[in-house]
Amino acid sequence: MTVLVRTKRKNALKYIHLGWITALVAGIATWALAQTLISISGASREVMEGVASFIAAIMLLYVGIWMHSKTNAQQWNNYIQKHVNSHIEAGTLWGLTSLSFIAVYKEIFETVLFYQSLLTQASSVQYSVVVSGFIVGCIILAIVAWALLKYSVKLPLAKFFSATTYLLLALAFILMGKAISALQEAAMLTISPLPIQIEVSWIGIGSTWQGLLAQIAVIVFFVVYFYSSKLKLKSNVQN
């Protein structure tokens, strides 16, 4: 949303809103299904979380690369001159909707599973405590979101894009590791353990070759792009 505001594309914000609002509706439907129709097995949950994390990781890496390509002042000016008076391509807009939907629905899905488990274990007199915690969490998230949107808009554009690039790269790295781990737990990927035990769950690092190589691939892909674009820029300057 900040990128769209900074690039004078406020008219495209509705595509972001469409994505997260649709995700909320889908989340409510998921909660209803979890309550009345289905019991989501551990394997099904891991498959859905793994696939969602994998897709989100790829999309975040793509957006991060796009942002990095705009950190150079000349490249940014060229981009503005080319697009400021034209509409963003429809495919890009619906891509924003998809990213917004996946990002929000993934969290809603995990929250539904968490609260389903929590309420199952809680007694009826404890429900109000659970609801109170949920409301407090929503308020804190709203404050954090407001602060991010308000103050990130005021950052220098190049610095904002540069910082966001590496934030998105880090998130892609984490989500890729979590995706592989979830798919392994669902027995959709084989497990080849590393010779040493390395488990840092908060950044998605596990003790398997598959997860480690997938995360390394994210970094290698970005590094290759980084240096190739740097060489290309240097060549253009010399010419």
Side-chain angles (χ1 to χ4, degrees):
M1 288 176 66
T2 303
V3 171
L4 292 176
V5 172
R6 292 300 301 271
T7 55
K8 303 183 186 303
R9 293 299 183 212
K10 289 185 178 181
N11 61 312
L13 288 175
K14 58 180 177 286
Y15 288 87
I16 298 289
H17 295 316
L18 175 62
W20 70 261
I21 291 173
T22 304
L24 285 179
V25 174
I28 294 172
T30 301
W31 175 263
L33 288 173
Q35 291 290 320
T36 59
L37 298 178
I38 62 174
S39 176
I40 302 174
S41 68
S44 299
R45 180 180 70 246
E46 297 299 339
V47 169
M48 293 183 70
E49 289 182 3
V51 171
S53 295
F54 181 80
I55 294 174
I58 297 300
M59 296 187 74
L60 287 171
L61 181 61
Y62 171 78
V63 175
I65 287 174
W66 179 86
M67 283 191 166
H68 180 267
S69 70
K70 302 298 179 287
T71 55
N72 177 267
Q74 185 59 46
Q75 289 176 317
W76 178 249
N77 289 334
N78 292 338
Y79 177 82
I80 290 296
Q81 291 174 7
K82 182 178 179 180
H83 296 282
V84 72
N85 293 319
S86 63
H87 295 292
I88 298 177
E89 295 178 3
T92 303
L93 292 174
W94 288 113
L96 292 174
T97 301
S98 300
L99 179 59
S100 176
F101 175 86
I102 290 172
V104 175
Y105 183 72
K106 176 182 178 295
E107 300 305 322
I108 291 177
F109 183 79
E110 293 177 357
T111 302
V112 166
L113 295 176
F114 172 79
Y115 274 93
Q116 179 71 16
S117 174
L118 191 63
L119 291 172
T120 300
Q121 299 174 42
S123 62
S124 57
V125 296
Q126 295 175 315
Y127 287 173
S128 61
V129 179
V130 175
V131 173
S132 299
F134 177 81
I135 293 173
V136 171
C138 289
I139 293 172
I140 293 173
L141 283 173
I143 294 172
V144 171
W146 171 82
L148 284 172
L149 290 173
K150 179 177 177 63
Y151 295 106
S152 60
V153 171
K154 297 181 179 181
L155 292 174
L157 198 59
K159 290 183 178 179
F160 167 74
F161 271 33
S162 179
T164 307
T165 294
Y166 294 107
L167 173 61
L168 294 179
L169 176 62
L171 291 174
F173 177 88
I174 294 170
L175 287 176
M176 183 60 74
K178 290 183 177 293
I180 299 300
S181 178
L183 294 174
Q184 286 176 327
E185 290 184 23
M188 293 199 61
L189 291 178
T190 57
I191 299 176
S192 301
L194 294 171
I196 57 175
Q197 181 72 19
I198 304 175
E199 197 77 33
V200 190
S201 59
W202 67 276
I203 56 175
I205 294 179
S207 295
T208 68
W209 282 108
Q210 290 84 353
L212 182 62
L213 290 175
Q215 289 183 306
I216 290 175
V218 170
I219 296 175
V220 169
F221 186 86
F222 180 80
V223 170
V224 170
Y225 169 80
F226 177 84
Y227 282 103
S228 62
S229 61
K230 200 171 183 179
L231 290 173
K232 184 178 179 181
L233 178 62
K234 185 177 181 180
S235 177
N236 291 339
V237 172
Q238 291 176 346
N239 293 334

